[in-house]
Amino acid sequence: MSTDIGALSGLVREGSLLADLPADCVDRLAPLGRTRTWTKGQTIFQKGDDGDFLAVILSGRVKISAFSAAGAETILNLLQPGDVVGEIAAIDGQARTADVIATDETELLVIPRAALLRHLETDTDFAVALAKALALKLRATSDALEATTLDMARRVATALLRLAEQNAVETDDGDLRHDVEIDQTTLARYAGITRSNLNRVLKRFERAGASRHEKGVLSILDTDWLADFAESEN
């Protein structure tokens, strides 16, 4: 598997860390790294590993996971082409804070930390744009942490809204479609609830016309309804 990275900005989509960077800033990342491929299920890095590179997903998908002492997995994020992994540790040089695992065959543009730091020192436009993007990501992380205090149904609604933002595709008539390939086990871990409870919530959302999950594809149909539900007191 090999992806043409001559115009890296062509991979960037709404919701990506790189989305707010100018296209020329994004494209200047390509010569800094090299491509590597991971097979489905392979660990890209683990919590505690050295933060010695940043990576841009060129193809495939990855999950960011944390594990309890008992081995229970919580999925912190689900990323796809155009997304970035490992940026925090690559910048501050500290250890990785979570596991990153390929959920499909995945190709990454791997940028060594030393090359990234040199680029930050010499390309001020990129440095400023990246700082703004990281600030936006920090706000999103804060919102995600706040969502963990919600009841189960509102927690699922919040998770679906995050997935909708990350997976929006514009149709020919100008509307947005939000279809996500995800199984119920992964979705339950992403929302932080059990699979049986997730199933009950999804049935509730389907009756409301807000979402539908069939054959491994989650269709998010009414983001306005989900947003109102997530903010409700019930």
Side-chain angles (χ1 to χ4, degrees):
M1 177 171 57
S2 181
T3 302
D4 181 6
I5 58 171
L8 189 61
S9 57
L11 287 174
V12 175
R13 54 179 182 73
E14 194 70 27
S16 165
L17 176 69
L18 302 178
D20 293 315
L21 273 65
D24 58 339
C25 284
V26 177
D27 290 337
R28 289 198 291 272
L29 289 175
L32 303 179
R34 60 187 180 88
T35 59
R36 284 188 58 189
T37 301
W38 280 261
T39 59
K40 181 178 180 179
Q42 188 174 4
T43 298
I44 297 169
F45 56 75
Q46 292 180 300
K47 181 178 180 179
D49 286 352
D50 291 338
D52 53 2
F53 68 86
L54 167 153
V56 182
I57 303 173
L58 302 178
S59 63
R61 296 183 298 174
V62 308
K63 63 179 178 178
I64 302 177
S65 295
F67 293 86
S68 70
E73 180 186 26
T74 298
I75 296 177
L76 305 176
N77 213 342
L78 298 164
L79 302 177
Q80 56 186 299
D83 284 324
V84 176
V85 292
E87 68 278 3
I88 300 299
I91 291 172
D92 68 14
Q94 301 299 308
R96 303 294 189 186
T97 58
D99 292 7
V100 175
I101 301 163
T103 57
D104 295 313
E105 184 176 359
T106 298
E107 186 179 30
L108 304 179
L109 172 67
V110 177
I111 301 174
R113 179 171 186 264
L116 176 66
L117 294 181
R118 286 195 300 270
H119 190 60
L120 287 169
E121 291 174 354
T122 58
D123 191 332
T124 55
D125 289 342
F126 174 76
V128 171
L130 183 61
K132 291 180 179 178
L134 289 172
L136 289 173
K137 182 175 181 178
L138 180 59
R139 290 179 182 273
T141 300
S142 178
D143 290 342
L145 288 173
E146 183 179 350
T148 63
T149 64
L150 303 176
D151 61 51
M152 288 187 298
R154 291 167 65 203
R155 194 180 301 177
V156 175
T158 301
L160 264 57
L161 288 168
R162 292 202 303 269
L163 290 172
E165 182 180 8
Q166 293 175 330
N167 294 274
V169 175
E170 187 171 353
T171 63
D172 292 338
D173 57 9
D175 293 330
L176 293 178
R177 188 180 74 247
H178 312 90
D179 292 334
V180 187
E181 291 186 18
I182 187 170
D183 60 75
Q184 284 202 6
T185 298
T186 301
L187 182 55
R189 291 172 178 171
Y190 184 57
I193 66 174
T194 66
R195 180 170 175 172
S196 59
N197 285 332
L198 173 73
N199 189 47
R200 286 194 287 271
V201 173
L202 289 181
K203 287 180 179 178
R204 178 179 179 180
F205 288 178
E206 184 171 354
R207 290 193 297 269
S211 67
R212 183 176 61 252
H213 191 267
E214 291 180 342
K215 299 180 179 178
V217 176
L218 172 68
S219 297
I220 302 169
L221 306 172
D222 192 336
T223 55
D224 290 337
W225 186 93
L226 288 169
D228 288 342
F229 184 89
E231 295 173 1
S232 70
E233 297 296 329
N234 299 323

